Amino acid sequence: MNLIRCSNKTAALLCVVALLATAGTASAFSVSAEGVPTETAVDEEVSVTYTIDDPFTDAPNEWTLAGSTELQEVSWTVTVLRAGSQVSQETYGDQSFEQDLEIDNNGDQVRVELVGTTPAISNYTYDPAQDYQVASLSRISGSNEDEFRNDTVHHYTEESQSARQAIDDAQAAIDEAGGNENAEELVSSAISSYENGNFQNAQDLAGQAENQAQQAQQSAQTQQTLLLVGGGLVVLLLLVGGGYYAYTQMSEDEYSKL
């Protein structure tokens, strides 16, 4: 009976220890994001929301929230909440902002809403694809700055997207054909044209590369078919010849017996 009571007390104590350990690690500085796109067209509107939970856990009691973006026509809305209720809200209209936060008069969550339009492209690159900074968020304390979020996104125009797709299609055709030197040279030229902003020429060169790769693949398939047919004919002739030889031998044997 005493052993059972002791066992129950031990189990209860372990449960309490586990709950305390969980409570001690459940709360931590973290940031999440909603609405970050994978790619956007130039001048397309972008709307992103970042949520910072427990901003003063594992962090200084006073620090400055800094944000920057390459979006145009920008609006930042920074809302501080405590237990879901709004404590304060500030709005900024520049591409960067700073806001001081303190543990004594700020809450347990900071929400950063960012709205802007996709910037123009100054430098086209195929691989890696050109991108822009949607947002960078940092925590500044004294002379220390810790960037805890940085999102970059591919941006494009209708013409650049069409040229990129043509190059992708050409490369896929080359890979399917098992490689083709002439087609690969055309793709390299298409990429150079793309990165120089000559999208029509890039699309034309990529189309030529795709056609060459497809023709090479068809030619290889035709040759393979002819080889298979030729091999089949050889086998058939050997079978027919062997059968005829066997037949003549049998006929000669029967004649000699007579």
Side-chain angles (χ1 to χ4, degrees):
M1 195 71 175
N2 291 336
L3 288 174
I4 293 174
R5 288 178 182 173
C6 182
S7 177
N8 288 340
K9 289 180 179 179
T10 303
L13 181 60
L14 289 173
C15 288
V16 171
V17 172
L19 287 172
L20 289 174
T22 303
T25 58
S27 179
F29 183 101
S30 63
V31 59
S32 59
E34 293 182 6
V36 179
T38 56
E39 61 179 14
T40 59
V42 171
D43 293 331
E44 179 181 345
E45 185 176 273
V46 177
S47 179
V48 184
T49 300
Y50 295 97
T51 302
I52 304 169
D53 288 311
D54 302 303
F56 301 104
T57 304
D58 300 325
N61 290 341
E62 297 181 11
W63 57 277
T64 300
L65 171 64
S68 63
T69 181
E70 291 182 353
L71 290 169
Q72 305 293 310
E73 301 171 11
V74 176
S75 172
W76 303 86
T77 302
V78 181
T79 306
V80 179
L81 304 102
R82 181 182 292 112
S85 299
Q86 180 176 312
V87 175
S88 66
Q89 186 174 83
E90 299 290 340
T91 301
Y92 306 92
D94 296 328
Q95 286 185 305
S96 62
F97 78 92
E98 290 187 359
Q99 180 168 322
D100 294 333
L101 300 173
E102 293 184 38
I103 193 171
D104 292 335
N105 55 15
N106 287 130
D108 54 15
Q109 188 180 81
V110 180
R111 185 178 301 150
V112 181
E113 297 172 86
L114 169 63
V115 179
T117 57
T118 304
I121 302 166
S122 59
N123 183 37
Y124 288 92
T125 58
Y126 178 74
D127 186 21
Q130 71 275 349
D131 57 20
Y132 70 97
Q133 185 184 71
V134 173
S136 168
L137 297 177
S138 300
R139 182 174 59 199
I140 301 174
S141 179
S143 60
N144 297 321
E145 182 171 353
D146 176 27
E147 183 183 65
F148 57 85
R149 185 80 190 198
N150 190 342
D151 290 311
T152 58
V153 170
H154 169 58
H155 56 159
Y156 61 89
T157 63
E158 183 178 350
E159 293 80 7
S160 71
Q161 189 77 333
S162 297
R164 173 176 288 277
Q165 187 60 57
I167 294 171
D168 290 345
D169 291 344
Q171 190 59 60
I174 292 170
D175 293 341
E176 189 175 349
N180 182 276
E181 187 175 349
N182 291 334
E184 287 170 356
E185 289 178 358
L186 285 169
V187 165
S188 295
S189 297
I191 291 173
S192 295
S193 292
Y194 174 89
E195 293 182 339
N196 287 324
N198 192 346
F199 302 121
Q200 188 57 58
N201 190 49
Q203 200 165 345
D204 292 342
L205 290 169
Q208 295 175 32
E210 184 177 6
N211 289 335
Q212 282 204 13
Q214 290 174 344
Q215 290 173 5
Q217 185 180 22
Q218 290 171 359
S219 176
Q221 289 174 344
T222 301
Q223 290 179 359
Q224 187 176 13
T225 301
L226 291 173
L227 287 172
L228 290 173
V229 171
L233 287 173
V234 170
V235 172
L236 180 61
L237 289 173
L238 288 173
L239 290 173
V240 171
Y244 178 75
Y245 176 77
Y247 173 76
T248 54
Q249 289 295 107
M250 289 175 61
S251 298
E252 289 178 0
D253 290 344
E254 290 178 2
Y255 180 78
S256 61
K257 289 178 182 179
L258 293 175

